Amino acid sequence: MSETQALSHEAAQFHQHVRKPHRRINPCFMTGKGCVHTENIDHELVQRQDEIVGFNVRPFQPNIETVHRLSLERFLKINYSTVEHQLRLGEADKVRRTGYVVCEKICRRIQSSDFILVDISSPNANVFYELGLAYGIDHKILVVYQEGSIFGQRADQCLQGGGCRCYTYRDLEPIRPEDFILSNFIWTREPRISQQNRLNPIMTLITQSYGFLAWSDSKSVDSASSPSLPQYQTEIDRADILEIEKFLGSRDITLGFETHVKAAVGVAVDNIVNKLHDSQRSTTEQKYKDLIAGLKSTEQIKKDAGFQDVQQRIEQSFCTIIQTGGKISDPMAYFWLGYCHALGKNVIPVTVVKTGSDTIDDLAFDLRALWHMSFIRKEPKRFSEELEETLHQMITTDFSEWSRKQFWDEMLGRRGKVSIFTGALHNAPIGREMIGDWDLRSASELTSYFASHQYRATIESPVYQIEQVTHPRGEPATNVTEDFYISELERMLRGKNCIIVGSPDVNPLTEVLLGKLYDVDPKMWFKNNDDVERSAGAVVAFKQVEVQAEEVSEIQSKRKRSLGILEAQDLARAFYRRIPVQKSEIPAQLKRGFLGHGVKRGKLEGDFRSQTDDKHTFFVHAHLVVARNPFDEDPLDIHHVIIFNGVSGPATFALTHVLTGGTSSQFSAYADSFLPDSESEGFLQKLNRDIVMLKERYLGLQYFFEVRVGPTPEAPDSPGSSRRDIFDWRRILNWSIIPFAAADSAFGSISSLHTKQHKIV
């Protein structure tokens, strides 16, 4: 291979690497809400076809600027621009101190770039903040510094602990392509098991006892210059000290910033726990009193802590308190501040000042963000009070749905995308495909929850039944085969987080996913086959239906199918059984439920009442499946599927409340003693522990719920009663998980799925 060909191959390899997706920053660390630019950034990255865009992060110093302009930028453009893709570098404008700068000129441009070029030659807090921000969103980063820079060498040593390989340039000497092969220098955060921090959260403190100031063996601003002077007074002019103090010592005791923070956190958390204990009503937060109490002790990052040690500690933290500066700012403090902001972690940057009137000017732009605080040496009490108020707000907000947030972040990613799929039911008299009313309510409930929690949900087009697609008007289709239909459904699911609403007879995607997850041969999908029930972990829904003593004749059935009218008995499914019961043989109530290898004792059944039946309370069951998306092509790009497999509309709808706590009371009638929000948190605590199995070995988890359904308690002659005769009278009264109903909550093997994926490739 010639030198020109080698360069061209390297440029193509670099382009392919940097075009891999990185995460988005959510929530916004300035507002605490979803980023308003996320959709535009996603669109910009997808639409960008003919160029590779980098973002240049460097100190605005004349010599460094000269090196970048005359050497680094020219090297990148000459050697890494191709006919197909031109390489372009942008940088932040030299504007000071407005939140607009951080949002528009820094944060958005980092997220919308394909890669980041960072120069760490000098101790610049801005640069390290942006580096931490980029690292936290799994960006592709090139780190460089001048060969003779002492600070650059120290920073290089620190970042090596995170797997970073820096390139050193020699002043303005030409850069040889063989020395700076960009593909070999890309730094990206290694994938880590997320959300484990929520099982045992901690409080973390980063002060100037850790970082470049400490490593250079210089005294930090909190070190006492004299044993007789308190640490928070070391910056006071000695002329201000009374003469008597020179002989007898200070009038106040010595209390350092670090000591004060630890004590203030302990007292604040203790007060919060006591308030929870004294609460009259059982709240969701009380489920987590032990976790909250564990936040009393603050773990301080030590001077000799390695990069990965600090990273792991921050990821485990409920809240990280970072001393960002005063007169002196340590760049590593800002690196970890940026990292916390990128992860959406609770973080409190603290600026240490002597008096309340001191100017806070430790960065070129304002990124003090949502929770910024000041520690005033002359008024330490103010800090304690403000810290307790801040922590109370954090704890109240986060622990009100601690497990739910963990679950959805794990399934979708922070402000991740999810597609909601319903099935289309054919209405022959009007010739339309329609969504069931309870399925529509389920989709509405989910989208309401996702919108309020800043996840991005899309209700996809309803999926037509296979019989309506492959056999229109009763005749075999000439252009749509069963194999093609199934392949199209698989394509709809591939590379997405998906929620599937409805049982297999209602939603074809439930049939396809269960077949894939239970490792059933696709040739058996959409066919009646009792052998499926014996497949490992398999769950088959069944519904008893009333039929006449004499079934409709075959001639009548053919005539109906020719008109596009499909009867229930025409729907063949591997994971659904229609059990006809003649009117003379009907028990007290029709039964619905589940059977198969995945059901303990082989069968689970309950009563069923439709909206046209008498208004009585009954119990029905629902099957919840949480699994990895089996149609993902890249084993490192993981998506998830959630199946709401209810054997009636109310059962399916109840599962939305199981996972969201309920956003609407319109279709429920819970008693005061049943708190859906708290019950949801209780189940999701268990589910989050089980999800670890998904990561380590298994493909999916499944659970069964008993749902109590009945009318709203109201007087028969009340206005609401007549309204119930117009609309469905059934309401969710309560629900609960059925312990040990599943033969085994975990099923399927990740290794077998990966093996099949490799064979396909």
Side-chain angles (χ1 to χ4, degrees):
M1 183 183 295
S2 66
E3 183 177 344
T4 303
Q5 289 175 323
L7 284 174
S8 178
H9 176 75
E10 156 59 14
Q13 188 175 2
F14 175 74
H15 292 178
Q16 183 180 10
H17 197 146
V18 300
R19 291 306 294 267
K20 291 181 179 179
H22 49 268
R23 295 191 312 104
R24 301 291 174 265
I25 296 173
N26 275 296
C28 172
F29 51 85
M30 302 292 289
T31 65
K33 300 178 180 179
C35 174
V36 297
H37 299 297
T38 297
E39 299 294 344
N40 291 333
I41 291 170
D42 290 348
H43 180 76
E44 182 179 341
L45 288 169
V46 170
Q47 294 299 314
R48 186 185 299 150
Q49 300 293 332
D50 57 353
E51 64 178 357
I52 298 295
V53 177
F55 186 69
N56 196 349
V57 177
R58 57 176 175 79
F60 288 123
Q61 299 298 331
N63 289 339
I64 294 177
E65 185 174 356
T66 299
V67 169
H68 280 250
R69 182 168 51 86
L70 299 182
S71 180
L72 281 166
E73 292 181 12
R74 286 177 58 83
F75 168 80
L76 293 174
K77 291 177 181 178
I78 291 172
N79 293 283
Y80 285 87
S81 289
T82 64
V83 176
E84 296 83 9
H85 299 97
Q86 293 295 307
L87 189 145
R88 175 170 62 85
L89 274 178
E91 63 182 34
D93 296 342
K94 303 174 186 177
V95 184
R96 290 178 61 84
R97 297 198 65 76
T98 63
Y100 169 78
V101 173
V102 180
C103 181
E104 289 281 352
K105 304 297 185 181
I106 304 294
C107 187
R108 175 174 178 171
R109 295 180 69 176
I110 286 176
Q111 294 183 82
S112 62
S113 298
D114 295 305
F115 71 97
I116 310 296
L117 174 66
V118 184
D119 194 318
I120 58 171
S121 299
S122 66
N124 186 286
N126 295 21
V127 167
F128 274 78
Y129 175 80
E130 294 170 47
L131 176 59
L133 204 65
Y135 180 70
I137 62 172
D138 306 334
H139 221 316
K140 293 75 62 177
I141 308 169
L142 298 171
V143 182
V144 302
Y145 65 92
Q146 184 197 36
E147 187 178 57
S149 167
I150 301 299
F151 177 80
Q153 294 172 16
R154 288 175 176 169
D156 187 357
Q157 281 185 319
C158 175
L159 298 180
Q160 282 180 22
C164 178
R165 180 186 178 189
C166 301
Y167 173 76
T168 56
Y169 59 82
R170 298 180 179 178
D171 300 336
L172 290 171
E173 291 184 14
I175 300 172
R176 299 188 305 173
E178 60 268 28
D179 293 337
F180 195 14
I181 301 175
L182 300 190
S183 297
N184 295 339
F185 287 87
I186 295 175
W187 183 37
T188 302
R189 186 174 72 134
E190 292 295 325
R192 302 169 68 91
I193 296 177
S194 61
Q195 300 300 336
Q196 60 182 359
N197 57 298
R198 299 181 76 91
L199 299 179
N200 187 26
I202 60 174
M203 293 288 295
T204 299
L205 174 64
I206 299 178
T207 69
Q208 291 181 352
S209 296
Y210 162 88
F212 294 112
L213 291 173
W215 300 331
S216 64
D217 293 326
S218 64
K219 296 286 186 180
S220 74
V221 294
D222 285 307
S223 298
S225 57
S226 169
S228 63
L229 297 179
Q231 288 183 332
Y232 61 81
Q233 290 183 341
T234 54
E235 296 179 7
I236 299 177
D237 189 342
R238 289 180 180 274
D240 295 336
I241 302 176
L242 296 175
E243 187 72 17
I244 192 172
E245 294 186 35
K246 294 182 179 181
F247 301 98
L248 301 181
S250 173
R251 292 177 298 173
D252 204 347
I253 61 173
T254 299
L255 286 178
F257 169 71
E258 299 168 354
T259 300
H260 197 108
V261 169
K262 292 177 183 178
V265 168
V267 171
V269 173
D270 191 59
N271 289 342
I272 294 169
V273 171
N274 289 335
K275 290 178 183 178
L276 289 176
H277 181 74
D278 295 338
S279 176
Q280 295 294 322
R281 186 171 178 266
S282 176
T283 64
T284 301
E285 291 94 328
Q286 288 183 335
K287 288 182 178 289
Y288 303 105
K289 281 197 297 185
D290 291 342
L291 280 182
I292 297 172
L295 303 177
K296 294 179 185 179
S297 299
T298 302
E299 299 186 20
Q300 182 177 344
I301 301 298
K302 304 299 183 183
K303 174 182 177 179
D304 58 352
F307 184 96
Q308 292 189 1
D309 293 333
V310 181
Q311 181 178 352
Q312 183 176 356
R313 193 73 62 82
I314 287 176
E315 290 172 357
Q316 190 181 349
S317 293
F318 169 75
C319 178
T320 302
I321 300 173
I322 301 179
Q323 182 184 355
T324 51
K327 287 189 174 181
I328 302 176
S329 300
D330 194 297
M332 279 311 294
Y334 281 93
F335 175 89
W336 294 119
L337 177 62
Y339 185 66
C340 288
H341 283 164
L343 296 183
K345 300 287 293 182
N346 289 325
V347 58
I348 303 175
V350 180
T351 301
V352 180
V353 295
K354 184 166 63 174
T355 67
S357 60
D358 287 355
T359 301
I360 301 173
D361 192 18
D362 47 11
L363 278 181
F365 45 74
D366 184 0
L367 47 76
R368 287 174 285 171
L370 191 62
W371 302 112
H372 175 266
M373 297 175 61
S374 297
F375 181 83
I376 304 172
R377 297 182 184 280
K378 289 189 174 182
E379 301 177 72
K381 179 182 177 182
R382 183 188 298 183
F383 175 81
S384 302
E385 295 171 346
E386 187 178 351
L387 180 65
E388 180 171 341
E389 182 180 343
T390 299
L391 289 178
H392 185 271
Q393 187 172 347
M394 283 184 181
I395 289 171
T396 301
T397 300
D398 288 8
F399 281 97
S400 64
E401 47 182 339
W402 183 254
S403 294
R404 267 198 305 279
K405 191 71 166 63
Q406 175 186 353
F407 171 76
W408 288 113
D409 282 352
E410 185 67 43
M411 292 295 102
L412 312 180
R414 285 183 178 269
R415 212 189 176 211
K417 295 181 178 180
V418 59
S419 293
I420 302 173
F421 291 95
T422 58
L425 303 174
H426 185 65
N427 189 319
I430 62 175
R432 289 186 178 182
E433 311 302 315
M434 306 181 70
I435 304 175
D437 53 353
W438 283 98
D439 291 351
L440 183 61
R441 291 165 187 160
S442 298
S444 175
E445 188 79 3
L446 290 168
T447 53
S448 177
Y449 175 82
F450 291 141
S452 64
H453 290 74
Q454 300 161 20
Y455 300 106
R456 294 171 288 166
T458 300
I459 299 180
E460 304 285 356
S461 296
V463 183
Y464 286 9
Q465 303 291 339
I466 188 172
E467 292 80 7
Q468 292 297 334
V469 176
T470 60
H471 298 82
R473 301 183 64 82
E475 299 297 330
T478 57
N479 59 341
V480 179
T481 64
E482 183 176 301
D483 289 344
F484 179 77
Y485 174 82
I486 292 176
S487 68
E488 283 298 294
L489 297 192
E490 293 177 353
R491 182 188 59 78
M492 293 169 62
L493 296 167
R494 190 170 293 123
K496 296 178 181 177
N497 296 310
C498 304
I499 295 178
I500 314 302
V501 178
S503 52
D505 58 316
V506 174
N507 194 330
L509 291 176
T510 303
E511 174 86 356
V512 170
L513 278 168
L514 292 181
K516 187 71 172 179
L517 293 169
Y518 296 143
D519 197 21
V520 173
D521 189 338
K523 294 180 181 179
M524 299 174 68
W525 302 353
F526 297 102
K527 295 177 178 65
N528 292 323
N529 193 321
D530 293 340
D531 292 339
V532 168
E533 299 172 18
R534 293 186 285 274
S535 299
V539 173
V540 177
F542 75 85
K543 300 177 182 179
Q544 287 186 347
V545 293
E546 179 185 346
V547 297
Q548 299 297 326
E550 297 180 0
E551 288 282 1
V552 180
S553 69
E554 183 63 22
I555 295 177
Q556 291 175 315
S557 296
K558 285 184 177 180
R559 181 176 179 275
K560 288 188 175 184
R561 285 195 292 270
S562 69
L563 297 173
I565 303 173
L566 291 172
E567 300 290 346
Q569 59 265 29
D570 295 319
L571 301 178
R573 298 290 183 269
F575 299 98
Y576 165 71
R577 298 285 178 271
R578 176 182 180 269
I579 303 177
V581 180
Q582 292 187 10
K583 190 171 185 179
S584 60
E585 299 175 354
I586 291 179
Q589 199 65 44
L590 290 172
K591 303 294 183 181
R592 291 189 178 187
F594 300 93
L595 48 85
H597 180 272
V599 183
K600 196 165 185 178
R601 300 188 182 90
K603 192 173 186 180
L604 178 68
E605 68 178 16
D607 294 338
F608 170 74
R609 288 181 179 273
S610 73
Q611 63 268 35
T612 60
D613 289 333
D614 293 339
K615 300 177 184 179
H616 293 291
T617 299
F618 65 98
F619 291 90
V620 70
H621 297 103
H623 174 220
L624 174 68
V625 178
V626 177
R628 292 179 60 162
N629 190 328
F631 297 108
D632 279 343
E633 295 177 326
D634 185 352
L636 297 180
D637 187 18
I638 298 173
H639 298 87
H640 296 92
V641 294
I642 300 171
I643 304 174
F644 292 164
N645 185 13
V647 289
S648 75
T652 300
F653 179 78
L655 291 179
T656 68
H657 281 209
V658 170
L659 297 186
T660 68
T663 61
S664 170
S665 60
Q666 187 174 1
F667 306 106
S668 62
Y670 296 125
D672 291 341
S673 59
F674 184 85
L675 302 175
D677 184 74
S678 180
E679 293 296 326
S680 170
E681 279 291 305
F683 167 69
L684 287 169
Q685 278 184 282
K686 167 182 169 50
L687 179 54
N688 289 329
R689 291 191 294 268
D690 291 348
I691 282 176
V692 176
M693 294 188 288
L694 282 182
K695 297 169 181 276
E696 296 176 348
R697 180 178 176 184
Y698 295 102
L699 192 55
L701 302 166
Q702 56 188 358
Y703 308 89
F704 293 97
F705 288 82
E706 183 177 74
V707 182
R708 184 167 174 258
V709 184
T712 301
E714 57 187 11
D717 57 349
S718 68
S721 179
S722 60
R723 185 174 183 272
R724 300 301 180 196
D725 294 330
I726 301 174
F727 301 98
D728 196 325
W729 56 267
R730 295 173 297 176
R731 293 293 181 267
I732 311 301
L733 303 181
N734 59 51
W735 44 261
S736 61
I737 187 172
I738 306 176
F740 312 113
D744 193 344
S745 60
F747 65 90
S749 170
I750 292 177
S751 58
S752 64
L753 179 64
H754 289 171
T755 301
K756 292 180 181 180
Q757 288 172 335
H758 290 315
K759 287 181 179 179
I760 293 173
V761 175

